[in-house]
């Protein structure tokens, strides 16, 4: 008994270590061959243990996995293909894929994603195909989500809860070739304008564009988002809300009052100036009078002189 039980844990530990190092193990009920692990449809509720470390293709599709553990997934540094479609994954965090930086294909469709953190894919610079379709509770994508996925060619965003996309999200994916956008409740308001213009001017392939339609506003409901660029531009550039009218009214009032004040000031200045002018002209008139007096005085003495000289003589 003591002989049999003492090597037991040691052997277990040893085999676990060997399993980690050599990658010779295979998760229960999965198929492992030639760097490929297939755990499809096993009703797994957790990420399976014992996945060989040299795995390049991992199929976890059609299970009930709720969460991808970054620590254990990150051990698979050669992984290029990860299929997690049809599970119950709720969140993808910034560090979820931090160890699997060689990933080329990632399928997260048919999950229950509610959140994709902004830097979730930031180390996946080799990613070529990303499928996050059919996640109806996924309501938004940050504009930095694809900032570093510089090799991305195929992006599937069908049937999610996305209402809007920031066109800046696509600035860094110059390789992007095909994007699927149908089945989303697109809200074609003025914030969406830049993205619709981007769809027009970029030469992206959008094979399902006939079904990628606006849900709001009612005037544009049912319009394909690839065709609302121009109506939206018209609406957003000429359309005025009540707020805009109030703003315009306020501006008008300001201009009106400024004008009134300016007119009043001008009037006051004019009156003051005229008063000053009148005063100075009165002074001048007084001056003139004084001068006349002086003149007459100068004449008077002259005339007096002259009178003194001539008139008295005449009289
Ligand atoms: C899952 O996504 C990958 C990558 O986009 C894709 O190659 C694969 O075809 C998808 N699976 C199915 C069943 O479409
Ligand atoms: C999916 O996520 C939503 C929102 O978090 C939750 O209400 C719902 O129960 C989830 N569905 C499943 C099948 O887990
Ligand atoms: C993109 O990757 C570079 C290095 O590979 C890193 O410095 C940078 O922070 C990453 N950007 C984002 C948005 O994660
Ligand atoms: C994404 O996955 C869904 C289902 O898993 C599949 O139908 C679709 O073809 C995939 N998209 C791409 C671009 O491979
Ligand atoms: C447009 O709709 C989106 C999504 O609901 C919202 O975040 C944004 O603020 C809206 N923009 C405008 C200008 O109403
Ligand atoms: C659009 O949706 C209809 C009905 O769901 C479908 O029959 C059609 O094939 C779809 N078209 C495209 C281009 O996806």
């Amino acid at each position: 008994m003591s002989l049999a039980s003492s090597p037991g844990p040691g052997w277990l530990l040893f085999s676990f270590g060997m399993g980690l190092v050599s990658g010779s193990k295979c998760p229960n009920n999965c198929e492992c061959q030639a760097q490929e692990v297939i755990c499809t449809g096993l009703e797994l509720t957790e990420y399976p243990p014992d996945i060989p470390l040299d795995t390049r293709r991992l199929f976890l599709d059609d299970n009930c996995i709720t969460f991808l553990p970054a620590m254990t997934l990150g051990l698979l540094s050669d992984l290029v293909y990860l299929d997690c479609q049809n599970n119950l994954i709720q969140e993808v965090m910034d560090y979820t894929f931090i160890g699997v930086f060689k990933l080329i294909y990632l399928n997260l469709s048919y999950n229950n994603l509610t959140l994709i953190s902004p830097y979730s894919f930031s180390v996946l610079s080799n990613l070529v195909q990303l499928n996050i379709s059919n996640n109806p509770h996924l309501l938004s994508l940050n504009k930095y989500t694809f900032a570093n996925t510089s090799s991305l060619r195929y992006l599937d965003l069908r049937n999610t809860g996305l209402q809007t996309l920031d066109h800046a999200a696509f600035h860094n994916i110059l390789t992007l070739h095909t994007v699927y956008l149908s089945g989303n409740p697109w809200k074609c308001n003025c914030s969406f304008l830049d993205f619709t213009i981007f769809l027009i001017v970029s030469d992206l392939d959008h094979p399902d564009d006939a079904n990628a339609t606006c849900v709001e506003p009612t005037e544009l409901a049912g319009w394909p988002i690839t065709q609302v660029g121009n109506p939206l531009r018209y609406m957003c550039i000429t359309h005025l809300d009540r707020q805009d009218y109030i703003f315009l009214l306020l501006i008008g009032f300001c201009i009106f009052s400024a004008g009134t004040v300016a007119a009043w000031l001008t009037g006051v200045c004019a009156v003051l100036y005229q008063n000053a002018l009148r005063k100075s002209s009165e002074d001048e008139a007084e001056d003139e009078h004084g001068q006349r007096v002086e003149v007459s005085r100068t004449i008077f003495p002259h005339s007096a002189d002259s009178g003194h000289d001539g008139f008295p003589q005449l009289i």
Side-chain angles (χ1 to χ4, degrees), residues 140-298:
S140 66
L141 279 180
N142 188 276
K143 67 173 171 179
Y144 297 114
T145 308
F146 307 118
N148 261 6
T149 56
S150 49
S151 307
L152 199 61
R153 273 181 77 77
Y154 303 95
L155 178 60
D156 196 337
L157 296 175
R158 269 177 277 186
N159 306 323
T160 68
L162 290 176
Q163 294 189 321
T164 194
L165 272 181
D166 191 333
H167 79 294
F170 296 90
H171 273 174
N172 290 357
I173 5 180
L174 305 174
T175 49
L176 195 60
H177 181 269
T178 308
V179 61
Y180 296 87
L181 297 166
S182 65
N184 294 310
W186 296 117
K187 190 167 176 181
C188 299
N189 62 15
C190 296
S191 309
F192 200 56
L193 173 63
D194 284 345
F195 183 69
T196 60
I197 301 288
F198 166 79
L199 286 180
I200 293 173
V201 298
S202 67
D203 41 305
L204 279 181
D205 224 2
H206 14 78
D208 59 347
D209 62 355
N211 285 350
T213 55
C214 304
V215 169
E216 278 183 58
T218 40
E219 310 94 80
L220 293 176
W223 282 54
I225 58 170
T226 47
Q227 286 172 26
V228 295
N230 285 323
L232 212 52
R233 182 154 44 183
Y234 177 78
M235 253 174 62
C236 294
I237 290 168
T238 58
H239 177 74
L240 296 177
D241 281 338
R242 205 176 58 178
Q243 259 177 327
D244 298 322
Y245 282 118
I246 290 172
F247 182 71
L248 283 181
L249 217 69
L250 268 176
I251 291 276
F253 180 73
C254 285
I255 291 174
F256 172 74
S257 10
T260 310
V261 168
W264 181 76
L265 276 177
T266 314
V268 166
C269 285
V271 166
L272 284 179
Y273 178 71
Q274 230 162 17
N275 274 356
L277 211 67
R278 197 182 305 143
K279 218 170 189 180
S280 69
S281 69
E282 263 170 26
D283 283 354
E284 232 170 77
E286 252 174 47
D287 278 359
E288 237 175 76
H289 192 66
Q291 222 172 6
R292 214 178 296 146
V293 169
E294 257 172 52
V295 166
S296 59
R297 263 183 210 148
T298 52

Side-chain angles (χ1 to χ4, degrees), residues 19-157:
L20 271 184
V21 173
S22 70
S24 65
K25 279 211 152 191
C26 187
N28 274 348
N29 301 326
C30 299
E31 284 172 44
C32 302
Q33 50 164 344
Q35 299 183 310
E36 187 171 279
V37 175
I38 302 176
C39 305
T40 301
L42 298 178
E43 296 179 348
L44 299 174
T45 54
E46 279 181 5
Y47 180 85
D50 301 334
I51 294 175
L53 298 187
D54 59 352
T55 301
R56 288 169 58 82
R57 292 163 65 86
L58 176 57
F59 294 85
L60 298 173
D61 49 311
D62 306 311
N63 284 293
C64 306
I65 298 169
T66 53
F67 158 76
L68 290 174
M71 286 287 278
T72 34
L73 182 64
L75 295 173
L76 311 180
S77 58
D78 287 328
L79 200 67
V80 293
Y81 190 104
L82 178 58
D83 190 347
C84 296
Q85 67 172 298
N86 203 13
N87 277 282
L88 293 171
I89 300 167
Q90 298 223 2
E91 289 186 359
V92 175
M93 307 305 290
D94 283 344
Y95 44 79
T96 300
F97 299 112
I98 208 139
V100 288
F101 51 87
K102 289 184 185 164
L103 218 50
I104 297 175
Y105 303 93
L106 176 57
N107 200 333
L108 291 167
S109 65
Y110 289 102
N111 275 278
N112 197 16
L113 288 174
T114 52
L115 176 72
I116 294 181
S117 287
Y119 301 108
S120 300
F121 306 131
S122 67
V123 298
L124 304 183
S125 57
N126 298 311
L127 196 65
V128 172
Q129 290 199 20
L130 176 61
N131 195 335
I132 34 188
S133 66
N134 298 289
N135 282 287
H137 295 108
L138 182 66
L139 301 183
S140 66
L141 279 180
N142 188 276
K143 67 173 171 179
Y144 297 114
T145 308
F146 307 118
N148 261 6
T149 56
S150 49
S151 307
L152 199 61
R153 273 181 77 77
Y154 303 95
L155 178 60
D156 196 337
L157 296 175

